[in-house]
Amino acid sequence: GRPPPITLTACQDVLVPARRVVPRPVAGPRSVTTGVAALVPDDDGRRGWTLYVNGMESSHVDLDDPTRLDFEYMRWLSGAIEGLDRQDDALQVLHLGGGGCTLARYLQATHPLARQVVVELDAEVLELTRGTIHRDLRLARERLRKEVS
């Protein structure tokens, strides 16, 4: 059957495998709720992009290879997950902080039956990344809710 969806929660977005053409990311800074986010392309000829939030590296995504993990802590996390004694259908993951959804994309590629929920504080960061660096994902249902504290 079909793999389970990844859920992005900025309130609640459900992602399913896409079957459409996705626009190319646009480099540069944008205002988001928590400050400024910027997409910066790799300069090595590959189709990788880094998401910066308030000047700090937040996520790195390779549009052609979701298993490419440039950040060391992502390789640690993926190694820990790969070391678990579980089947794909038993793997359930809660990601706190989504950004570019690097680990969610990795797990969708390596464990397609895993159930995942991504929680991101800033809905505008998800808006920035969802249509571009989430190349193989699309929103099936959207219910973004802005919460003011």
Side-chain angles (χ1 to χ4, degrees), residues 114-130:
R115 300 191 66 75
Q116 303 185 70
V117 175
V118 178
V119 178
E120 171 59 53
L121 174 67
D122 193 331
E124 291 177 350
V125 168
L126 293 179
E127 286 293 323
L128 171 64
T129 62
R130 76 179 176 128

Side-chain angles (χ1 to χ4, degrees), residues 7-8 16-17 35 39 49 67 70 79 84 95-96 107 110-111 113 132 141 143:
T7 303
L8 278 186
V16 295
L39 288 173
W49 288 80
T67 65
D70 276 18
L84 295 174
H95 306 268
L96 298 179
L107 290 174
T110 59
H111 299 275
L113 299 178
T132 56
R141 175 172 51 100
R143 287 183 4 215

Side-chain angles (χ1 to χ4, degrees), residues 1-52:
R2 182 190 263 186
I6 294 175
T7 303
L8 278 186
T9 306
C11 157
Q12 181 106 8
D13 291 342
V14 179
L15 296 173
V16 295
R19 307 228 192 299
R20 65 184 174 89
V21 175
V22 177
R24 177 178 164 79
V26 177
R30 298 185 191 49
S31 292
V32 294
T33 304
T34 55
V36 176
L39 288 173
V40 178
D42 287 357
D43 60 2
D44 63 2
R46 296 185 287 182
R47 293 183 352 114
W49 288 80
T50 301
L51 170 67
Y52 289 81

Side-chain angles (χ1 to χ4, degrees), residues 12-112:
Q12 181 106 8
D13 291 342
V14 179
L15 296 173
V16 295
R19 307 228 192 299
R20 65 184 174 89
V21 175
V22 177
R24 177 178 164 79
V26 177
R30 298 185 191 49
S31 292
V32 294
T33 304
T34 55
V36 176
L39 288 173
V40 178
D42 287 357
D43 60 2
D44 63 2
R46 296 185 287 182
R47 293 183 352 114
W49 288 80
T50 301
L51 170 67
Y52 289 81
V53 178
N54 296 323
M56 301 287 294
E57 291 178 327
S58 174
S59 297
H60 180 272
V61 171
D62 184 319
L63 299 181
D64 296 324
D65 182 5
T67 65
R68 175 180 161 200
L69 302 174
D70 276 18
F71 293 171
E72 186 176 20
Y73 82 96
M74 282 289 152
R75 292 190 298 272
W76 292 342
L77 289 170
S78 67
I81 292 168
E82 298 304 337
L84 295 174
D85 185 24
R86 295 190 173 225
Q87 301 298 320
D88 281 350
D89 57 351
L91 189 61
Q92 296 183 34
V93 181
L94 172 64
H95 306 268
L96 298 179
C101 293
T102 305
L103 190 59
R105 292 180 76 242
Y106 170 86
L107 290 174
Q108 185 179 34
T110 59
H111 299 275

